Amino acid sequence: MRPPRQVLALVTAVAGAMAVACSSAGAQGGTIEALPGPVPEDAEFREAPDDAPSAPEFELELLDGEMVKMSELWEERPVVLVFFEAWCEPCGELQPGLNDVVDDYRDVVTFIGVAGYSEPDELREYVDEHDVGYPVGTDPDGSRWLKYGVSEPPLLALVSQGGALLRGWPGGITESDLRAYIDEYAVAHPHP
């Protein structure tokens, strides 16, 4: 006996809705919803070197209008700041590897994108096109970029739990090198 058409239609609709929901996980990218949840109980973070300078503090308005304060983020766990622009080709080339690192370290490291002069619509397009899975905000006056010495994108900066500036990479960094630095300087356990 074949199931009635209504049951088949319902099953198809539910399956379609689930597929859309699962595939739109990256749609949270750029917004506060992409921040990680609570720090895992087994997470262990490395102490910053004594001579590491304090990371410059700032607040950032995300694409959804929410404000985040960097010191509140690095109080809980290390932070990787990603300074980029929507029009930046090297940024787009680095993004797939960065996305892989974000996926693996999502629970123990916060990633935040800081765009300079790109318009919010351009940023949303970049976030969607490149499947960015972390919050993204704008720095329209360039003050946040200036605090980190960013003259052109991309630049990534690693901040320890507690707010010490561990390292910056003008021009970006490879996926494997970023993983190595996070493991060596920021996250003791768990390693992905």
Side-chain angles (χ1 to χ4, degrees):
M1 180 171 164
R2 291 178 29 181
R5 287 183 191 253
Q6 292 92 351
V7 172
L8 288 176
L10 179 61
V11 169
T12 302
V14 169
M18 289 177 65
V20 168
C22 292
S23 68
S24 65
Q28 295 178 8
T31 69
I32 201 155
E33 296 295 320
L35 284 174
V39 175
E41 289 184 24
D42 64 340
E44 295 177 25
F45 303 112
R46 299 192 189 284
E47 292 290 323
D50 292 336
D51 60 348
S54 294
E57 162 64 349
F58 64 88
E59 290 187 30
L60 186 68
E61 183 176 354
L62 302 179
L63 290 177
D64 59 3
E66 296 286 337
M67 296 296 291
V68 293
K69 191 172 185 178
M70 295 306 111
S71 61
E72 291 176 0
L73 297 178
W74 61 56
E75 183 178 305
E76 293 184 344
R77 68 188 95 213
V79 173
V80 172
L81 299 170
V82 181
F83 294 90
F84 77 105
E85 291 285 6
W87 48 260
C88 170
E89 287 184 28
C91 301
E93 292 168 3
L94 290 172
Q95 196 63 57
L98 183 56
N99 289 346
D100 290 342
V101 176
V102 171
D103 289 344
D104 290 344
Y105 287 87
R106 170 175 314 284
D107 292 336
V108 292
V109 176
T110 297
F111 294 80
I112 297 283
V114 184
Y117 301 104
S118 297
E119 294 294 323
D121 288 342
E122 297 170 324
L123 291 175
R124 286 184 192 92
E125 186 176 315
Y126 180 94
V127 166
D128 290 343
E129 181 180 327
H130 296 283
D131 296 320
V132 175
Y134 49 85
V136 171
T138 59
D139 182 19
D141 67 1
S143 63
R144 292 133 189 107
W145 278 41
L146 186 60
K147 287 182 178 193
Y148 282 82
V150 182
S151 59
E152 64 182 52
L155 181 138
L156 276 73
L158 177 60
V159 179
S160 72
Q161 179 202 27
L165 183 58
L166 298 174
R167 182 73 202 264
W169 296 276
I173 183 172
T174 66
E175 173 186 352
S176 60
D177 286 347
L178 181 57
R179 288 175 188 278
Y181 274 100
I182 289 172
D183 290 342
E184 184 174 348
Y185 294 106
V187 176
H189 179 77
H191 293 281

